[in-house]
Amino acid sequence: MKKLFLIFMLISAIGCQTNQKPDKKTVLKMINDDLNYPRTIDYEIFCSDPSHAKKLLDLKLDTTGMVTIQKKQKLRDIGSPLISFTEAAQLYLIEPTEKEKRLDIQKVKIAEETIDNIKLGNSSESNGKISIPVTYTVICTNITPFSALMKRNLSKTISRSATLLFTDGNWKLIKP
């Protein structure tokens, strides 16, 4: 009888431990895995588009040595790329797909979004399921000279939220 009681207590203890609130390190790993952080923020530049060339000129990316822009085209050159990238820009270029090559599209890195801070809320139980609200902040790191292309202020942190749900003996992240 004592053995049966001890086995029951051991199973109860193990069962109680599995639904304990996860630590921040575990939650960070779940967010990184499920929501694909760190993420690269990119921007598509249409190299044959005069409006993109004008935008790059207006942002003075040609004077900073990132791009060279053909300001005048001859009739025979219409449709060929107006924008080319310098050696200094090579660090920030993303390898184009075949389709992007055909369309003269070049993606450039703007920055990387990473998780900065995680806060776990108080757990609540409903219908036999335990849930924990999670708020986390996202910051931009490795900001490139091409960040001028974005209207967004990359120095500001962004607050996001998600929910951890304990089902089937595991914690799962419910995407926002």
Side-chain angles (χ1 to χ4, degrees):
M1 188 68 167
K2 280 186 178 182
K3 286 183 181 180
L4 187 59
F5 179 73
L6 287 173
I7 291 173
F8 176 76
M9 292 301 289
L10 182 63
I11 291 172
S12 296
I14 292 171
C16 290
Q17 288 175 355
T18 57
N19 65 0
Q20 285 182 344
K21 190 174 185 177
D23 63 347
K24 286 184 180 184
K25 186 177 179 181
T26 304
V27 174
L28 175 63
K29 182 173 177 7
M30 291 172 74
I31 292 172
N32 284 339
D33 292 347
D34 292 355
L35 302 179
N36 300 317
Y37 282 100
R39 297 179 186 172
T40 299
I41 302 171
D42 61 36
Y43 188 90
E44 288 183 339
I45 297 175
F46 292 79
C47 297
S48 299
D49 188 345
S51 65
H52 278 242
K54 182 179 180 338
K55 186 174 186 174
L56 293 173
L57 280 170
D58 291 345
L59 295 171
K60 301 189 183 326
L61 285 171
D62 60 331
T63 58
T64 61
M66 291 290 121
V67 296
T68 54
I69 299 172
Q70 193 177 53
K71 295 177 179 114
K72 294 183 181 180
Q73 269 192 333
K74 296 180 180 167
L75 192 56
R76 67 176 179 208
D77 295 332
I78 291 177
S80 64
L82 298 168
I83 302 164
S84 58
F85 297 89
T86 64
E87 190 67 34
Q90 297 303 310
L91 290 169
Y92 312 117
L93 302 181
I94 298 172
E95 185 67 33
T97 63
E98 287 302 317
K99 183 178 179 182
E100 290 168 341
K101 284 179 186 176
R102 278 194 320 273
L103 298 173
D104 290 325
I105 298 172
Q106 177 62 60
K107 285 185 179 179
V108 293
K109 292 178 187 176
I110 301 296
E112 281 190 10
E113 285 185 327
T114 57
I115 305 296
D116 182 43
N117 190 12
I118 295 176
K119 293 181 183 174
L120 301 175
N122 294 323
S123 61
S124 62
E125 191 169 342
S126 171
N127 298 331
K129 295 181 181 178
I130 301 171
S131 64
I132 301 173
V134 178
T135 55
Y136 57 97
T137 55
V138 178
I139 60 168
C140 290
T141 58
N142 302 326
I143 298 172
T144 73
F146 289 103
S147 65
L149 293 165
M150 300 287 286
K151 292 180 181 179
R152 177 177 150 196
N153 182 354
L154 298 174
S155 63
K156 284 188 173 181
T157 60
I158 299 171
S159 182
R160 297 207 171 125
S161 61
T163 304
L164 287 174
L165 188 63
F166 187 74
T167 59
D168 301 327
N170 292 316
W171 285 102
K172 294 181 182 174
L173 186 71
I174 306 301
K175 298 177 185 177

